[in-house]
Amino acid sequence: MNLEIKAIAFDEALDKSGVVPIRVDIGERDKVGAESFHFFVARPSALTNEVSNGDFKLLRGYILMADFDINVVRRSITNLINHARSRETWAEVITFFNRYGVYDSEDLDEKHFP
């Protein structure tokens, strides 16, 4: 499939926390429509606040980087797209991306769970 990033949305004001939630819309080039996936862009030091006193956190949906850089975010998603191009159906693309991000409709379609 000829996939591309259709949009990346985030709130720049949240960058001070060290964790920035983003939404990435992936679709086919020159076609209408996209599917949304959610990630958290985080500094490794920001994860210290995520766990304490023996707690743990599974890290599906995180993109770790030293400082928030939209170009690095775009490069990381483009890397996933390049690996997803060989998928033949949207269901296969969604299943692939859902391993790394959180599919916008995963709790609604009852098909795509990690």
Side-chain angles (χ1 to χ4, degrees):
M1 296 186 89
N2 194 7
L3 303 170
E4 69 177 356
I5 298 170
K6 297 282 187 168
I8 297 177
F10 64 96
D11 185 346
E12 292 181 53
L14 296 174
D15 191 30
K16 293 177 185 149
S17 70
V19 178
V20 179
I22 65 169
R23 187 191 79 240
V24 179
D25 297 338
I26 307 294
E28 289 187 79
R29 187 177 310 276
D30 300 324
K31 292 189 178 180
V32 176
E35 297 291 343
S36 296
F37 297 88
H38 300 272
F39 295 86
F40 293 99
V41 177
R43 294 182 189 108
S45 61
L47 296 179
T48 303
N49 298 326
E50 295 286 324
V51 293
S52 61
N53 300 325
D55 289 338
F56 65 91
K57 179 137 187 143
L58 300 173
L59 295 177
R60 174 181 165 238
Y62 280 76
I63 301 171
L64 296 178
M65 62 182 72
D67 292 304
F68 184 86
D69 183 336
I70 192 62
N71 294 317
V72 175
V73 170
R74 191 172 292 280
R75 191 172 75 221
S76 69
I77 300 303
T78 298
N79 184 47
L80 289 177
I81 286 173
N82 289 337
H83 285 86
R85 288 186 198 284
S86 64
R87 285 19 184 219
E88 295 181 14
T89 67
W90 264 110
E92 291 173 344
V93 170
I94 291 168
T95 298
F96 175 80
F97 268 94
N98 202 40
R99 286 188 275 171
Y100 300 96
V102 178
Y103 176 45
D104 196 46
S105 298
E106 80 175 21
D107 58 340
L108 301 175
D109 72 2
E110 299 181 5
K111 295 178 186 174
H112 298 97
F113 293 101

